[in-house]
Amino acid sequence: MALSSRKPRVTGKPNIIFILADDLGHADLGCYGGREPVSPNLDQMAREGIRFTQGYSNSPVCSPTRFALMTGRYQYHLRGAMDEPLHGPNAKRSTHGLPPSLQTLPSLLREAGYRTALVGKWHLGHEPHFGPRKSGYDEHFGLMSGGIDYFTHTSPDGKKDLWHNGEPVDDDTYLTDLLSDRSIDFIQRSVSQAQPFLLSLHYTAPHWPWETREDHELAKTLVGQTFHLDGGSVHTYQRMIHHMDEGIGRIMAELKRLGQDENTLVVFTSDNGGERFSDNWPLVGGKMDLTEGGIRVPYIVRWPAAIPPGGVSEQMVITMDWVPTLLEAAKAQPQLVHPFDGMSLLPHLRDASLVRERQLCWRMNHRQQRALRRGSWKYLRVDGHDYLFNIDEDARERANLMHRHPDRLAQMRESYEQWEATLPRIPEDASITLVYTKKDMP
């Protein structure tokens, strides 16, 4: 439903800002039922635009989702996305990143006249084989790996991993603030050149290590130990979200100061569900799980020139939808080498009441998981056990209806297997990296 009958009017190509949080829980934000006031700016963005209640990530872990975000396709077509996540020796291999030959969201928008930048996390393979500027971004400021310390900017192996267009950066500013600052700088430069822009702002917040702006001294003790299994708290985690929200507020204020906020399309979401301190209520599970807590994520979109305020949509959406959506919003008409698996959400942004039935699928090597969502129903397999849930009635996935509806279970299982048959098999050397196991915490 939409709370306003105002009909916005689009004039010219919109600027596009795509903001990606890292490991944010479904219910961490106030506009999604959060228990603490950590997100006033994002909550305002939701009031001024639309939020989706049935939003999904392409994967319950970071790099596979990012492959989908770049290509608009199920990530399982690409070898690098078979690792859960891309980490360790596999991350350095010449076959395990985002191939520069592929059409991507930034490369297609650049062809359409956009200035493009990635500020933040890449996590799609390392130089010299892969990199943001090889895949359509004019500029990159940020990290190449999956996570770094907020002050020392070191990755889990203890090495510095902060770069500006391939050159190392030595700056101990709190990373969330640094990424917000660099984003504002890119916006200012793009506006001064009167060129529409794509800003991919991929924060690492609220991903480990568990550090707020006041934890500079703590950071010195975590070099080479950024998994930070002996630290953190719900309070710290919530303050990390608030720091990110403040940065987003500064960006929105700068857009308004520059006269750009009406025709700038801003999207906010997360790469997967929450981790150990996240609030996923009422969902079960989290990062690495295909239960709802691992893949259900916030989606907030604001574009005053085209989207009525106060919208709440029940349309099922997924990360890969944003590539065709943003290309259509930009009036780009590329000649595609591969068709998108995602669909354009532009009609749903303009009319929150529209709901189109569709089927979404996921697979994970970890615990041999599989999932298929169609309408109210979800088929799930974990560790060889099958489940059938009515998500509309049981979002917590506690009432297994497989014996009550054996025909539906069989049909959905067959649909899943037909879908999976179109994809490459997961290779034997695909890696699974768990930050913590039951021996680390119950």
Side-chain angles (χ1 to χ4, degrees):
M1 59 175 290
L3 301 182
S4 172
S5 59
R6 175 175 69 84
K7 294 184 178 179
R9 183 174 299 172
V10 179
T11 56
K13 291 184 176 182
N15 303 312
I16 298 170
I17 301 178
F18 193 97
I19 305 173
L20 193 65
D22 202 338
D23 294 359
L24 184 73
H26 177 262
D28 280 326
L29 305 182
C31 55
Y32 281 88
R35 307 175 203 204
E36 296 294 331
V38 299
S39 53
N41 293 293
L42 284 166
D43 298 343
Q44 179 178 344
M45 189 172 139
R47 290 192 298 271
E48 295 174 349
I50 186 172
R51 67 180 180 91
F52 290 84
T53 62
Q54 302 286 314
Y56 287 96
S57 59
N58 262 76
S59 172
V61 65
C62 43
S63 54
T65 292
R66 293 164 198 270
F67 279 100
L69 175 59
M70 290 291 283
T71 63
R73 306 178 72 214
Y74 279 113
Q75 65 273 20
Y76 312 106
H77 297 288
L78 300 172
R79 174 59 189 87
M82 306 287 192
D83 295 315
E84 298 170 354
L86 195 58
H87 181 73
N90 278 1
K92 306 287 186 181
R93 292 183 180 172
S94 63
T95 52
H96 285 52
L98 182 67
S101 60
L102 288 183
Q103 292 176 315
T104 63
L105 173 63
S107 72
L108 293 171
L109 283 174
R110 187 163 66 179
E111 288 176 8
Y114 277 69
R115 181 184 182 96
T116 60
L118 170 63
V119 176
K121 179 172 169 176
W122 169 245
H123 204 188
L124 293 172
H126 285 267
E127 298 280 4
H129 310 291
F130 312 104
R133 293 192 300 154
K134 289 180 168 64
S135 289
Y137 287 112
D138 296 315
E139 304 178 25
H140 174 232
F141 180 92
L143 57 153
M144 296 293 289
S145 65
I148 59 175
D149 186 89
Y150 287 85
F151 293 98
T152 66
H153 306 146
T154 53
S155 58
D157 63 6
K159 297 178 181 178
K160 290 257 187 185
D161 185 25
L162 186 63
W163 310 87
H164 180 216
N165 293 337
E167 297 297 322
V169 174
D170 188 13
D171 185 333
D172 66 354
T173 302
Y174 185 68
L175 184 62
T176 302
D177 294 337
L178 191 55
L179 299 182
S180 300
D181 292 342
R182 290 289 181 143
S183 295
I184 290 171
D185 174 70
F186 173 75
I187 291 168
Q188 291 170 339
R189 288 186 287 110
S190 298
V191 172
S192 71
Q193 296 179 21
Q195 186 176 7
F197 62 82
L198 164 69
L199 168 62
S200 298
L201 172 51
H202 296 183
Y203 284 109
T204 60
H207 190 285
W208 46 258
W210 314 110
E211 296 170 352
T212 70
R213 287 195 189 108
E214 289 72 43
D215 288 325
H216 192 281
E217 292 303 312
L218 171 64
K220 296 176 183 178
T221 71
L222 295 177
V223 175
Q225 302 179 63
T226 51
F227 287 172
H228 204 184
L229 295 178
D230 60 351
S233 67
V234 170
H235 177 69
T236 295
Y237 172 81
Q238 289 172 339
R239 291 200 61 217
M240 293 168 70
I241 297 172
H242 191 243
H243 295 335
M244 175 178 64
D245 183 81
E246 288 175 324
I248 293 169
R250 289 198 293 121
I251 289 167
M252 301 305 289
E254 186 63 15
L255 288 172
K256 187 171 185 178
R257 187 187 74 82
L258 295 169
Q260 299 294 311
D261 71 322
E262 284 291 310
N263 200 29
T264 297
L265 195 173
V266 184
V267 181
F268 176 86
T269 186
S270 180
D271 59 349
N272 47 254
E275 215 218 42
R276 66 197 93 158
F277 295 113
S278 303
D279 188 350
N280 286 328
W281 180 261
L283 311 178
V284 163
K287 185 175 182 178
M288 298 296 285
D289 300 322
L290 288 183
T291 46
E292 293 289 289
I295 51 177
R296 187 90 72 90
V297 292
Y299 278 104
I300 302 170
V301 189
R302 181 187 187 273
W303 183 16
I307 301 175
V312 179
S313 173
E314 296 180 0
Q315 174 63 48
M316 276 201 308
V317 301
I318 192 168
T319 314
M320 62 187 177
D321 291 336
W322 294 105
V323 180
T325 301
L326 298 179
L327 289 172
E328 184 179 357
K331 302 179 177 64
Q333 296 179 319
Q335 296 296 312
L336 297 177
V337 176
H338 300 288
F340 295 131
D341 293 323
M343 72 177 194
S344 175
L345 302 174
L346 214 55
H348 304 277
L349 297 180
R350 290 175 169 146
D351 183 351
S353 68
L354 292 178
V355 177
R356 169 184 167 186
E357 181 142 329
R358 66 190 303 202
Q359 172 178 291
L360 298 176
C361 298
W362 297 262
R363 76 176 184 188
M364 283 286 284
N365 196 19
H366 174 56
R367 301 185 69 187
Q368 299 296 296
Q369 296 177 85
R370 55 166 68 173
L372 181 147
R373 176 86 196 266
R374 184 192 297 141
S376 302
W377 295 90
K378 180 177 177 181
Y379 162 58
L380 176 70
R381 176 177 289 181
V382 182
D383 294 330
H385 302 290
D386 282 353
Y387 306 89
L388 181 69
F389 299 110
N390 185 319
I391 297 299
D392 287 349
E393 296 179 359
D394 176 30
R396 199 162 167 77
E397 296 169 289
R398 299 293 84 182
N400 184 5
L401 302 175
M402 61 178 290
H403 297 302
R404 288 181 179 267
H405 300 279
D407 292 344
R408 185 183 296 276
L409 173 69
Q411 181 189 51
M412 295 185 75
R413 183 164 50 210
E414 181 181 5
S415 295
Y416 175 88
E417 290 169 354
Q418 289 174 349
W419 169 79
E420 189 176 39
T422 68
L423 302 171
R425 291 182 175 274
I426 299 173
E428 292 288 332
D429 65 344
S431 62
I432 301 170
T433 303
L434 299 177
V435 172
Y436 61 91
T437 65
K438 290 180 180 178
K439 75 177 179 60
D440 299 303
M441 61 188 74

